[in-house]
Amino acid sequence: MTKDDSLETTTTDVRDDQIEKARFEDVTKQFGRVIAVEDVTLPIYENEILAVVGDNGAGKSTLMNMLSGVYQPTAGRVIFDGEQVQFSNPSEARERGIETVYQDLALMDDLDIATNIHIGKFPKRLDIGPVDVIDWRQTYENTTKILEFLQQDLRPTTEVAFLSGGQRQLVAVGRSLLFDPEVLILDEPTSALSVAGAELVHDTMHRLKAEGHTQIVVSHNLEDVFNLADRIAVMYRGQLVATVNPEQTDKETVTDLLTSGTPSS
Ligand SMILES: Nc1ncnc2c1ncn2[C@@H]1O[C@H](COP(=O)(O)OP(=O)(O)OP(=O)(O)O)[C@@H](O)[C@H]1O
């Protein structure tokens, strides 16, 4: 799609009292000849749950990957806490408080919950001599606190293989909470879950919101999106075609937007 084909954008979500946490500003990402994201401007407000929806290939992941440091924009700017940021990699985004929970979760089934949450970032203590060793007591204490927050009556020593889909998703969320993120990006957090599993995730997202975290959820599931989101950003063929307030629209309108780029007349 070229710029000349640009689609009408409907915006029904603007509130004057919201503080901007981050912003995509005229952001474009090209992979060779493919324009995955085209000229997107989208603010992300502090403490909101923003849903990003769109059909397969609409550009949702690419857009999020430009906030999480996986990709750098071909054009445009990413603003975080009022200043332009240029993350070269996800570690740099993490340092600024941006965490992503990816769809594949990347859990290791034969390891316990505590190890899965801490892998790559175990607390260390000095042992005899100059070598640091893993502080297992601290590791299990941290995990107990995270499981309490997640309201999961599980032992830190339980192997992840024994957990339900919803619990596995929460362990992946727990792993990102170790960094106390300001912005949490969740990629299709309920796509593989039962109704009960999805409810676990929804409850956790509501609690994270109550604690002040900003969350962006990429989802195909409009049921979820309408239950969770404060705003819905709709992408179509790389462009942001609308940002809407779920209380002022309905699923049919959002479905029309994400399948055709325009609301039905
Ligand atoms: N690394 C890449 N190299 C080349 N093309 C890419 C790359 N990543 C994404 N694309 C292309 O960019 C477009 C947008 O892809 P993206 O994955 O962002 O969409 P999406 O909305 O997240 O889709 P889905 O819901 O299927 O995950 C697609 O045409 C895709 O093929």
Side-chain angles (χ1 to χ4, degrees), residues 2 5-6 23 37 39 48 50 56 73 75 115 130 134 142 156 190 219 221 256-257:
T2 68
D5 304 321
S6 60
R23 164 184 282 267
V37 169
D39 206 11
E48 74 169 337
L50 169 69
N56 291 331
T115 307
I134 291 174
N142 291 348
T190 59
S219 182
N221 184 335
D256 285 339
L257 282 163

Side-chain angles (χ1 to χ4, degrees), residues 101-117:
V101 180
Y102 291 100
Q103 201 174 352
D104 69 5
L105 303 185
L107 297 176
M108 277 162 276
D109 272 358
D110 51 351
L111 299 180
D112 67 18
I113 296 173
T115 307
N116 268 283
I117 284 179

Side-chain angles (χ1 to χ4, degrees), residues 29-32 34-37 52-65 71 103 187-188 218-220 235 237-238:
K29 179 68 186 178
Q30 254 177 283
F31 297 104
V34 177
I35 304 175
V37 169
V52 180
V53 302
D55 236 333
N56 291 331
K60 308 177 294 293
S61 303
T62 304
L63 186 67
M64 290 306 109
N65 282 335
Y71 296 139
Q103 201 174 352
D187 190 7
E188 299 284 357
V218 174
S219 182
H220 277 100
M235 295 194 68
R237 297 189 182 173

Side-chain angles (χ1 to χ4, degrees), residues 146 149-150 172-181 184 208 213:
I146 288 173
F149 173 76
L150 296 170
V173 171
R175 194 168 44 191
S176 64
L177 294 185
L178 208 54
F179 293 99
D180 196 19
L184 193 59
L208 287 167
H213 299 271

